[in-house]
Amino acid sequence: AQTVTQSQPEMSVQEAETVTLSCTYDTSESDYYLFWYKQPPSRQMILVIRQEAYKQQNATENRFSVNFQKAAKSFSLKISDSQLGDAAMYFCAYRSERGGGADGLTFGKGTHLIIQP
Amino acid sequence: GAVVSQHPSWVICKSGTSVKIECRSLDFQATTMFWYRQFPKQSLMLMATSNEGSKATYEQGVEKDKFLINHASLTLSTLTVTSAHPEDSSFYICSARGGAWETQYFGPGTRLLVL
């Protein structure tokens, strides 16, 4: 079974600064997707960024980028120019592709990101 | 696009009663929907995978007779918590798989409180 580990229960960053959230995972599969989801106080899950395991290039979405190290099974999220609206729980998630993408997500325990004004 | 709704958003019920939660994909067809449970200050745990027109697949440790899932159409899946007990109180979130990337789009969740 796959596992996802987020070792930082809480992170704090000054507004406009950069922060990196860590995520490691364990799998024996070679084909999978990795995701970062954001859950604000409303509890609505919002997709931040996705990464296909077969792609070497790191995904980027505006201020959000990942550092995907497949051999090390590491998938960190970097948030640049942090804004107050970035404050939320961030979950790293894994999805196997063995079922053609029809599998559910395995989530890490989450990191609570605090933005200091 | 890719909006998923859940109804109700909040429900309080007495112990022993059953509660039905609906999950709808509003602007796309979802052959697969997923049900997750999230306890306070914890992560999301996959409960079951629901495929349109077939029986749901439950994760280990999830009682299929207690959490009845029906996926009758490409836009609707329902979760019924039967004979609810206080330990079933939780936040239930559905997601629907769709779009070009087969991404999972999440509903806003349903908070269940069993008294």
Side-chain angles (χ1 to χ4, degrees), chain B residues 11-12 14 16 26 28 31 34 41 43 45 47 49 54 57 64 67 69 79 81-82 91 94 97 99 101-103:
Chain B
V11 57
I12 303 173
K14 293 183 179 180
L26 298 184
F28 66 100
T31 54
F34 305 88
K41 298 189 184 301
S43 187
M45 297 295 293
M47 298 175 66
T49 300
S54 63
T57 303
K64 62 181 179 181
F67 298 99
I69 292 172
L79 168 68
V81 183
T82 63
F91 190 63
C94 74
R97 171 174 166 251
W101 295 93
E102 296 293 355
T103 299

Side-chain angles (χ1 to χ4, degrees), chain A residues 27-64:
Chain A
T27 184
S28 59
E29 299 175 340
S30 60
D31 195 14
Y32 51 87
Y33 272 70
L34 296 165
F35 304 85
W36 278 98
Y37 279 89
K38 168 184 177 181
Q39 188 179 43
S42 67
R43 303 191 78 173
Q44 170 73 60
M45 296 291 283
I46 301 167
L47 176 65
V48 175
I49 200 165
R50 69 170 69 84
Q51 174 80 44
E52 301 96 307
Y54 66 85
K55 285 190 176 180
Q56 293 187 343
Q57 186 174 6
N58 290 322
T60 299
E61 286 288 342
N62 300 314
R63 298 183 295 108
F64 300 88

Side-chain angles (χ1 to χ4, degrees), chain B:
Chain B
V3 177
V4 177
S5 70
Q6 271 184 253
H7 179 79
S9 57
W10 230 130
V11 57
I12 303 173
C13 69
K14 293 183 179 180
S15 186
T17 61
S18 294
V19 174
K20 180 185 282 188
I21 303 169
E22 291 187 350
C23 176
R24 294 182 184 271
S25 56
L26 298 184
D27 50 3
F28 66 100
Q29 293 184 330
T31 54
T32 307
M33 290 184 172
F34 305 88
W35 288 94
Y36 296 84
R37 183 164 59 181
Q38 185 179 31
F39 290 109
K41 298 189 184 301
Q42 293 189 25
S43 187
L44 283 76
M45 297 295 293
L46 179 65
M47 298 175 66
T49 300
S50 165
N51 290 297
E52 186 265 337
S54 63
K55 290 184 178 180
T57 303
Y58 291 81
E59 295 298 301
Q60 194 172 9
V62 177
E63 300 175 59
K64 62 181 179 181
D65 293 331
K66 179 166 191 62
F67 298 99
L68 300 180
I69 292 172
N70 183 273
H71 193 158
S73 77
L74 288 172
T75 59
L76 174 64
S77 177
T78 60
L79 168 68
T80 301
V81 183
T82 63
S83 187
H85 291 285
E87 58 265 30
D88 298 325
S89 299
S90 188
F91 190 63
Y92 292 88
I93 310 175
C94 74
S95 72
R97 171 174 166 251
W101 295 93
E102 296 293 355
T103 299
Q104 287 190 32
Y105 298 96
F106 284 83
T110 296
R111 194 183 304 268
L112 170 63
L113 178 60
V114 185
L115 302 177

